[in-house]
Amino acid sequence: MLKQRILTALVLGLIVLAALFTLPGWGFAAFVGLIVVLAAHEWQRLCALSPAAAPLYVVAVLFASALLFVFAWPDQAFWVALISSLGWLLLTLDVLRHRRTPPPPRSHATRLALGMFVIVPVWYAMVALHAASHWLLLYGMMLVWVADSLAFFVGRRFGQRKLAPALSPGKSVEGALGALAGIGLLSALAAQLPLFSGVSRIELILWSMLVAAVSVVGDLEESRLKREAGAKDSGRLLPGHGGVLDRVDSLTAALPVWLLALVMMGRIQ
């Protein structure tokens, strides 16, 4: 299973890199839009929508995304990122509150509305980051990928204390700390690159670690949704990984915060 997981991750990484560096702006937006459609489809399935209502939810996600682009692109990137980040702050507090005690089940309407909040802003964030700099977007995604990998391997080797046993028993405090330490080192090295010239090293390290920490919340929030649905994975499309939502859950939380970070650091106007 581990070999299959690694192979799938490598293939997915190559596809994303190809899209990131070869597609024009509209092509990349369409590529991310396809991911959004698949994620929205898996989200509604975890909410047990009827076959008749399922396509309507996907259309609603696309419509909300289109409205966001029409009324907030590109001049309102700060406000989109800020509102999304504040929402993730509230979800972080909720995750901490239910870290050890099973949370009460949420209504279908609440979960469906949460899906809109989770999925719609990440499309905007990815397109905005891509338009600003392919490398800035890649760095943001690397923060998530590196943190996830470090948490997995450090947790397997040293994990003793459960991070959020009521939501995701597989995650450990040691894994999370190892991931944050690794991201701290990665961002300290990245601060030397021309990409971040003029940016304070401490500022970049702190924002990078915050993005990595929030990515864990995105993962835990999807784990909670799957528990409410009684499902192990969001889908079966990706061998060794489950569904598309299982792969982008951390990005949905991290990339809007990374967009806010870049605006605050003056790298995106």
Side-chain angles (χ1 to χ4, degrees):
M1 180 63 72
L2 180 59
K3 291 181 179 179
Q4 186 182 53
R5 183 181 178 89
I6 293 174
L7 179 60
T8 301
L10 289 174
V11 172
L12 290 175
L14 290 174
I15 292 173
V16 170
L17 287 175
L20 180 62
F21 288 103
T22 64
L23 293 178
W26 65 266
F28 185 76
F31 173 76
V32 178
L34 175 60
I35 296 174
V36 164
V37 167
L38 294 172
H41 173 70
E42 292 179 357
W43 191 285
Q44 64 79 24
R45 187 166 55 191
L46 291 173
C47 296
L49 278 184
S50 67
L56 296 178
Y57 183 75
V58 176
V59 171
V61 170
L62 291 175
F63 182 70
S65 301
L67 287 180
L68 195 61
F69 280 112
V70 169
F71 292 105
W73 177 265
D75 299 331
Q76 305 302 319
F78 168 74
W79 292 107
V80 173
L82 178 62
I83 292 171
S84 180
S85 298
L86 290 175
W88 279 107
L89 173 61
L90 294 177
L91 288 175
T92 299
L93 296 175
D94 191 50
V95 164
L96 292 174
R97 184 160 64 99
H98 297 295
R99 192 167 66 90
R100 295 193 177 278
T101 57
R106 298 168 294 188
S107 67
H108 289 291
T110 299
R111 285 184 280 162
L112 289 170
L114 181 62
M116 298 284 285
F117 165 77
V118 168
I119 298 171
V120 170
V122 74
W123 192 358
Y124 183 100
M126 291 190 73
V127 173
L129 290 166
H130 183 266
S133 167
H134 301 357
W135 292 103
L136 288 175
L137 174 54
L138 177 60
Y139 179 79
M141 291 190 293
M142 282 183 62
L143 291 176
V144 176
W145 296 338
V146 171
D148 184 59
S149 298
L150 285 174
F152 177 76
F153 288 108
V154 172
R156 285 190 58 169
R157 178 65 179 84
F158 300 105
Q160 297 291 330
R161 294 169 292 172
K162 301 296 183 182
L163 178 65
L167 300 174
S168 182
K171 289 181 172 50
S172 68
V173 173
E174 291 80 6
L177 292 177
L180 289 178
I183 291 300
L185 177 60
L186 172 66
S187 54
L189 295 174
Q192 310 302 316
L193 299 174
L195 182 66
F196 296 110
S197 61
V199 175
S200 163
R201 179 186 299 181
I202 296 300
E203 194 175 6
L204 178 61
I205 292 173
L206 292 178
W207 275 113
S208 296
M209 294 178 71
L210 177 61
V211 169
V214 172
S215 74
V216 177
V217 179
D219 194 332
L220 291 174
E221 190 58 45
E222 197 229 351
S223 295
R224 179 178 178 180
L225 179 68
K226 288 188 293 187
R227 279 180 169 269
E228 290 172 324
K232 182 179 182 296
D233 298 311
S234 66
R236 301 178 181 177
L237 184 62
L238 307 175
H241 290 267
V244 170
L245 197 57
D246 293 316
R247 283 296 83 211
V248 302
D249 52 5
S250 299
L251 292 172
T252 60
L255 291 183
V257 177
W258 178 233
L259 177 60
L260 177 64
L262 291 171
V263 174
M264 297 298 291
M265 290 188 292
R267 300 301 295 164
I268 293 180
Q269 301 300 321

